[in-house]
Amino acid sequence: MIKNLIIRNYFGSRSRTFSLCIFTSAILFALGSISCAALNGNGYYASGADYETGTPKYDYINPEESDESGDKFDEIIDNPFVKTAEENISTFSLDADSAAYSYMRRILKNDALPNKNSVRIEEYLNYFTFDYADPTDGATVALNSEISACPWNNEHYLVRLGIKGKSIAKEKLPLNNYVFLIDVSGSMDGSDRLGLLKKCLIKMVDSMNPKDRISIVTYSGKEELLLESTLVKNKDLIVSKINKLVASGCTNGASAIEMAYNEALQHFIEGGNNRIIMGTDGDFNVGITKTEDLLELVQNYAKQEKSVYLTVCGFGYGNWNDAMMEKISNKGNGTYVYVDSEEEMQKVFIDETSRFVSVANDCKAQVTFNKDLVDSYRLIGYENRVLSKEDFENDEVDAAEIGAGQTITALYEIVPTEAGKYNQETKAFGAQVFNFDFRYKENLKDESKLLTSSPAVFAETCSENMRFAQAVAAYGMVLRESEYKGTATLSMVIDLIGNGFSFDPYNRRANFAELVRKAKEVQKN
């Protein structure tokens, strides 16, 4: 019994004795019918009150075994190899999210390997900024591509596709109309949850333009407009509202989402960045709780004439509904991040706030492989982003957004035909191996534009961009225990990283190398 009692989560939990936990649990079960204030749908139970405020405190009983986190993920089935004779056109929506990577880092810090269904390789790749050239001649997006040998199967090749949204200098960024949508339910109590979220928001406010606007909507058992739209020049008022946030009650998020959208629309800035930033630890357990109903709610707002974007920021561990939050951000023309630490707080809310400004919308890639040179191909990652080839030109089909200065990377593993093997004497392939087309909208309501990349070059000594992408993809396949990982191991990943990289903004590639070494230690144990 004691083994199956897990108090809140592995991180930042307040100290209690097991006897108190058992005693409290027994009382709760004896009551038979427990209200939302005592026990919500995710297993949180009232365990006393804050000494100063009287606010109920909540702890977590995990119904699973003690080695299970309680976090929820959709199953991922790796993209298979596709024969070009059957279909030589591959189409997918881009993915600008990064939540899976920082979630993995959180789990490793607890001396465990992440759930394989939490490993979305595209989010591992797109966590990082790659050394891609900015668009030129006033363009919004720049494309590049490369072919190299495949390190985990020497009979195959890798194709790297690179996309970069135009960079915007901080002084030229549009004005922001932000609505902070904050989960203050009881399960958000903790330094790694509401405590960290408050630090994030305050740090962000400190760096904003005085002419930007901020509203605050909170939700627990009920929604509340805590702060009407306020200019950031009134920073002290905004910060005081954030500092007073306290976690208590159940999680009724649907009505708060509606309130947040209505607040954003009421103070909409034409030509500005109108965005809801949602901070939560997971499930909605009262009100509208079905994923499909929440998706419909968000999608209806996303389709309105005035475009309001949505960014979902995840916090905490043990109650995180990854599956729902990723889908909600996708339907809300938004992005999805997971904040596991102050390091990630700095990345999301300070270093990369330009990514909150979307420069390319409904971004889709389409790759046409030469049947004479390519026997089969496999898109690595992007499993829930695959589209039909007809979707590419259909502007009604929703796809992902790219923020200012953001880079997106995708990899294909290809099996060459005999004629498609690289000729060492001519230093070339027999013909062009593939075409890479890209569609996007500068604004959500515009017609899409078509870009086509120049032919990829085979790199006998691959670029740093390709070598790092190889390392990240191999790492993800090992963690996923993918049937397609070939000879990939964590030792191979470390070898691919080598002595480091000349391009390493904020030292994040070096930090990745440390995580791989940590994963190797955990794997041994």
Side-chain angles (χ1 to χ4, degrees):
M1 173 185 263
I2 291 176
K3 181 181 178 183
N4 291 328
L5 290 174
I6 300 182
I7 302 176
R8 276 200 61 227
N9 51 55
Y10 295 116
F11 301 90
S13 298
R14 296 180 305 279
S15 174
R16 285 178 173 82
T17 66
F18 281 122
S19 58
L20 178 58
C21 294
I22 296 168
F23 176 71
T24 307
S25 301
I27 291 174
L28 292 174
F29 280 105
L31 291 175
S33 175
I34 303 171
S35 70
C36 155
L39 178 61
N40 69 27
N42 292 311
Y44 283 88
Y45 68 93
S47 58
D50 182 271
Y51 180 77
E52 294 180 355
T53 66
T55 302
K57 296 292 185 177
Y58 288 77
D59 278 320
Y60 185 66
I61 304 177
N62 190 338
E64 306 293 337
E65 293 299 322
S66 60
D67 60 348
E68 296 293 336
S69 70
D71 295 337
K72 300 176 184 177
F73 304 96
D74 277 342
E75 182 183 12
I76 298 175
I77 299 174
D78 289 335
N79 288 325
F81 278 99
V82 178
K83 288 282 188 179
T84 56
E86 298 173 6
E87 180 57 79
N88 71 321
I89 299 176
S90 174
T91 308
F92 64 97
S93 163
L94 269 60
D95 189 334
D97 299 342
S98 63
Y101 183 88
S102 46
Y103 180 86
M104 170 273 298
R105 181 173 59 202
R106 174 70 180 264
I107 301 304
L108 276 180
K109 287 178 180 177
N110 198 43
D111 295 324
L113 294 176
N115 182 318
K116 68 179 183 179
N117 286 318
S118 76
V119 180
R120 292 186 290 271
I121 294 175
E122 68 276 14
E123 294 186 21
Y124 283 29
L125 287 165
N126 295 327
Y127 180 86
F128 298 94
T129 298
F130 279 70
D131 191 15
Y132 298 156
D134 253 79
T136 57
D137 300 326
T140 302
V141 176
L143 308 179
N144 66 84
S145 56
E146 181 180 359
I147 305 176
S148 77
C150 177
W152 51 85
N153 190 323
N154 57 18
E155 298 296 321
H156 298 178
Y157 298 119
L158 281 185
V159 170
R160 178 188 57 76
L161 309 179
I163 304 104
K164 185 173 185 181
K166 68 176 181 181
S167 300
I168 302 176
K170 185 173 182 178
E171 62 273 14
K172 294 185 178 180
L173 288 170
L175 289 177
N176 297 303
N177 167 32
Y178 285 143
V179 179
F180 293 161
L181 176 57
I182 304 172
D183 180 353
V184 292
S185 62
S187 62
M188 279 290 285
D189 181 46
S191 60
D192 64 329
R193 302 185 185 211
L194 186 58
L196 182 56
L197 174 55
K198 288 161 67 172
K199 286 184 180 180
C200 291
L201 298 180
I202 291 170
K203 195 159 190 175
M204 185 177 181
V205 171
D206 283 340
S207 67
M208 288 174 66
N209 187 322
K211 296 180 180 179
D212 290 337
R213 305 192 72 89
I214 289 175
S215 308
I216 301 176
V217 173
T218 62
Y219 65 96
S220 54
K222 65 176 183 178
E223 71 282 358
E224 180 182 359
L225 178 58
L226 187 68
L227 178 70
E228 294 184 357
S229 186
T230 301
L231 289 169
V232 171
K233 70 177 183 179
N234 299 310
K235 182 171 63 174
D236 290 346
L237 172 61
I238 297 169
V239 171
S240 70
K241 293 288 186 180
I242 295 171
N243 274 327
K244 290 178 181 177
L245 293 172
V246 176
S248 66
C250 302
T251 313
N252 182 4
S255 297
I257 290 174
E258 293 184 273
M259 180 180 283
Y261 271 108
N262 291 334
E263 180 71 8
L265 290 168
Q266 184 177 345
H267 301 281
F268 191 87
I269 299 175
E270 292 292 343
N273 177 32
N274 300 277
R275 183 174 293 265
I276 296 168
I277 298 178
M278 180 180 187
T280 179
D281 73 329
D283 272 339
F284 301 146
N285 50 59
V286 294
I288 297 177
T289 59
K290 290 184 179 179
T291 298
E292 57 268 27
D293 294 336
L294 286 165
L295 295 183
E296 183 180 0
L297 172 65
V298 171
Q299 194 167 30
N300 287 339
Y301 278 105
K303 288 179 178 179
Q304 293 196 15
E305 189 62 32
K306 292 181 177 181
S307 301
V308 175
Y309 296 86
L310 172 66
T311 292
V312 177
C313 303
F315 293 81
Y317 173 72
N319 187 46
W320 177 239
N321 192 338
D322 172 87
M324 182 186 287
M325 293 296 102
E326 189 202 12
K327 290 171 185 172
I328 286 176
S329 66
N330 291 347
K331 294 297 183 184
N333 294 320
T335 51
Y336 170 40
V337 299
Y338 179 84
V339 184
D340 65 314
S341 60
E342 294 200 13
E343 172 191 349
E344 190 66 10
M345 173 182 75
Q346 178 72 28
K347 178 181 188 290
V348 173
F349 291 91
I350 300 297
D351 299 339
E352 296 179 354
T353 50
S354 64
R355 292 189 179 190
F356 288 145
V357 179
S358 181
V359 296
N361 301 279
D362 288 340
C363 300
K364 306 169 190 172
Q366 187 167 79
V367 181
T368 305
F369 291 98
N370 186 329
K371 293 182 180 180
D372 295 330
L373 303 183
V374 179
D375 173 81
S376 56
Y377 61 88
R378 187 179 90 82
L379 176 61
I380 300 175
Y382 293 90
E383 281 82 6
N384 61 2
R385 303 287 182 149
V386 174
L387 302 173
S388 71
K389 62 184 176 183
E390 293 78 17
D391 290 337
F392 185 64
E393 296 184 359
N394 185 352
D395 284 355
E396 296 302 310
V397 174
D398 184 52
E401 282 64 50
I402 301 177
Q406 187 167 16
T407 63
I408 303 294
T409 301
L411 294 176
Y412 283 91
E413 184 175 348
I414 62 174
V415 181
T417 62
E418 192 59 37
K421 293 181 179 179
Y422 182 74
N423 190 314
Q424 293 289 345
E425 293 182 3
T426 62
K427 303 297 182 184
F429 293 98
Q432 189 169 329
V433 177
F434 66 91
N435 293 320
F436 171 27
D437 295 327
F438 181 81
R439 278 195 177 275
Y440 74 100
K441 303 171 185 174
E442 288 196 6
N443 297 294
L444 278 168
K445 307 307 175 185
D446 293 349
E447 291 186 3
S448 65
K449 296 182 177 182
L450 175 65
L451 294 178
T452 300
S453 76
S454 57
V457 176
F458 181 81
E460 292 189 68
T461 302
C462 64
S463 69
E464 280 198 357
N465 283 324
M466 177 62 98
R467 184 161 58 92
F468 187 67
Q470 290 173 351
V472 174
Y475 179 63
M477 287 192 294
V478 171
L479 292 184
R480 280 197 45 71
E481 301 175 2
S482 171
E483 63 179 290
Y484 302 107
K485 66 184 178 66
T487 60
T489 63
L490 294 180
S491 294
M492 174 188 285
V493 176
I494 292 169
D495 289 342
L496 287 169
I497 295 170
N499 295 321
F501 298 88
S502 59
F503 180 79
D504 190 10
Y506 304 108
N507 214 36
R508 293 190 182 121
R509 296 187 179 194
N511 291 340
F512 169 65
E514 291 304 311
L515 287 177
V516 177
R517 294 185 182 97
K518 172 70 172 179
K520 190 174 180 182
E521 290 177 11
V522 173
Q523 191 182 61
K524 285 180 181 178
N525 298 329

